[in-house]
Amino acid sequence: MKKTRFNELHHKLGGKMIEFCGWEMPVEYSGIIPEHMAVRTKAGLFDVSHMGEVLVTGKDALAYVQWLTPNDVSKLVPGQVQYTALMTPESTFVDDMLVYAMGPEEYFLVVNAANDDKDFAWIAGHTKGFDVKVEHQSDAYSQLALQGPLAEAILQPLTDIDLASMKSFHWAKGRVAGKACLVSRTGYTGEDGFEIYTTDPEPQVIWTRLVETGTPRGLLPIGLGARDTLRLEAKLMLYGNDISDKTTVLEADLKWIVKLQKGDFLGKPVIEKQLAEGLKRKLVGFEMAEPGIARPHYPVYYKGQRVGDVASGTFSPLLKKAIGLVYLPIDGTAAGAEFEVEIRGKRTKARVITTPFYKRAKK
């Protein structure tokens, strides 16, 4: 298994280590619920170094990234970040990802750990006709995520970057705990927070200083378990569960990242066809109407017919109820519509509700 540069620290902190996408990663330290609530109420620190990074440079970098993705990269100026998808010609997902605008001919792509090598192969395989250079830089980077309402207060004393002036989905370069870093106001929890990238050979210094500064304020180290419950409450997608190469961007309820007016891009004809003809199914949020927790891959029935499986499902530590995401036939996607989830052999009632399940209050 691969190990991040923080692996020894995870063991020292008592992290329960598991295999995840070929990496040895902590699933929890003090428990999923206390870790989850720490992020919602104070702050949490995640090792996300298993994520993938790809640098695209060259004269045609903008046109190339525009071709690969449905969102409008031309709207970005250096210093901004955009959520988008890596598309197939069928308008399904190779992956979802963040695009960092570094310069007029330079874009930094951050992809999921599970798809790192596959994504790079896809990206590198679609350069024909574009004057670009793509570099797989995942091994060079360590990445931390500091998330929660106290994230700015914890990070600011350790960096020369003016965090108060950094808007959401923006980034800046500076030093954190003396190490050269790129810091962005992004995350995967639904909370305010930052993601910190560094190529320094000793990034452990950053983790240690953040823990020293944050622990008195209630910061906890966070594992993969709470990362999943946090992202689901905020309805943030997980590749392999909620989106895949079998689901289109419109079916996944991500129309907001589709900008048809920008010109041609992979998958656009399928999107236009689906818009003209209407969708047959769509991803929706639900809550259980009867006792039980709907886990991923549990069978789903609508009007008595098997229509698929639960995409994501868990017990929400914040909302104190079982929630999830599921693809349903389009006539069953309105809020209040009922269906059934088979839990340990018993069909159990669930109902569609509006999402996100949790949304952070604006300051």
Side-chain angles (χ1 to χ4, degrees), residues 20 33 42 71 77 83 85 97 109 113 126 148 152 156 186 204 229 231 247 262-263 285 299 316 323 345:
F20 179 75
I33 291 177
K42 296 181 174 64
N71 212 334
V77 298
Y83 175 77
M97 65 178 183
L109 314 181
H126 286 77
E152 181 181 320
Q156 188 61 82
T186 54
Q204 302 90 344
T229 53
R231 70 94 194 162
T247 55
K262 75 170 187 173
S316 163
I323 60 172

Side-chain angles (χ1 to χ4, degrees), residues 66-323:
Q66 287 280 62
W67 171 248
L68 293 177
T69 64
N71 212 334
D72 191 352
V73 187
S74 72
K75 298 295 184 182
L76 296 178
V77 298
Q80 288 186 309
V81 188
Q82 183 182 78
Y83 175 77
T84 188
L86 195 58
M87 301 283 290
T88 72
E90 292 76 35
S91 98
T92 61
F93 295 84
V94 180
D95 204 354
D96 62 346
M97 65 178 183
L98 294 178
V99 175
Y100 287 69
M102 311 298 286
E105 297 182 358
E106 184 176 354
Y107 294 91
F108 186 62
L109 314 181
V110 180
V111 301
N112 286 298
N115 299 331
D116 186 14
D117 291 336
K118 180 193 73 171
D119 289 354
F120 180 74
W122 180 270
I123 294 167
H126 286 77
T127 58
K128 187 177 181 181
F130 295 98
D131 183 1
V132 294
K133 178 182 179 182
V134 293
E135 299 172 71
H136 196 184
Q137 298 190 331
S138 302
D139 289 343
Y141 278 92
S142 295
Q143 184 185 349
L144 296 175
L146 177 64
Q147 301 282 293
L150 300 184
E152 181 181 320
I154 291 169
L155 180 57
Q156 188 61 82
L158 302 178
T159 183
D160 54 358
I161 300 170
D162 179 8
L163 299 178
S165 65
M166 183 187 292
K167 297 178 181 177
S168 178
F169 276 74
H170 282 64
W171 65 268
K173 288 184 177 179
R175 304 192 81 80
V176 177
K179 304 294 186 183
C181 292
L182 182 155
V183 176
S184 60
R185 198 158 204 150
T186 54
Y188 192 55
T189 63
E191 294 300 329
D192 186 23
F194 303 90
E195 293 181 293
I196 304 165
Y197 302 80
T198 184
T199 57
D200 191 280
E202 295 183 340
Q204 302 90 344
V205 172
I206 302 171
W207 174 286
T208 300
R209 292 289 289 123
L210 287 169
V211 169
E212 289 174 351
T213 306
T215 298
R217 294 173 176 265
L219 176 143
L220 291 179
I222 312 295
L224 294 170
R227 182 171 165 83
D228 190 54
T229 53
L230 288 158
R231 70 94 194 162
L232 180 54
E233 283 182 348
K235 200 198 174 192
L236 298 172
M237 299 294 169
L238 178 63
Y239 186 90
N241 285 44
D242 312 314
I243 55 176
S244 73
D245 59 1
K246 303 293 189 298
T247 55
T248 72
V249 66
L250 295 182
E251 290 172 341
D253 199 25
L254 289 173
K255 185 179 178 182
W256 65 273
I257 66 169
V258 175
K259 304 299 189 303
L260 294 174
Q261 75 282 2
K262 75 170 187 173
D264 289 337
F265 58 89
L266 279 172
K268 181 178 180 180
V270 176
I271 292 172
E272 291 176 324
K273 185 171 185 290
Q274 284 192 326
L275 286 172
E277 297 179 353
L279 294 175
K280 295 180 179 177
R281 64 170 187 165
K282 193 173 77 170
L283 186 71
V284 294
F286 68 87
E287 64 181 8
M288 295 306 299
E290 296 180 324
I293 299 174
R295 301 292 185 186
H297 312 303
Y298 280 10
V300 171
Y301 297 82
Y302 177 64
K303 294 183 177 178
Q305 300 296 314
R306 174 80 181 271
V307 294
D309 299 333
V310 172
S312 289
T314 191
F315 181 80
S316 163
L318 181 71
L319 305 173
K320 309 296 184 191
K321 63 181 179 181
I323 60 172

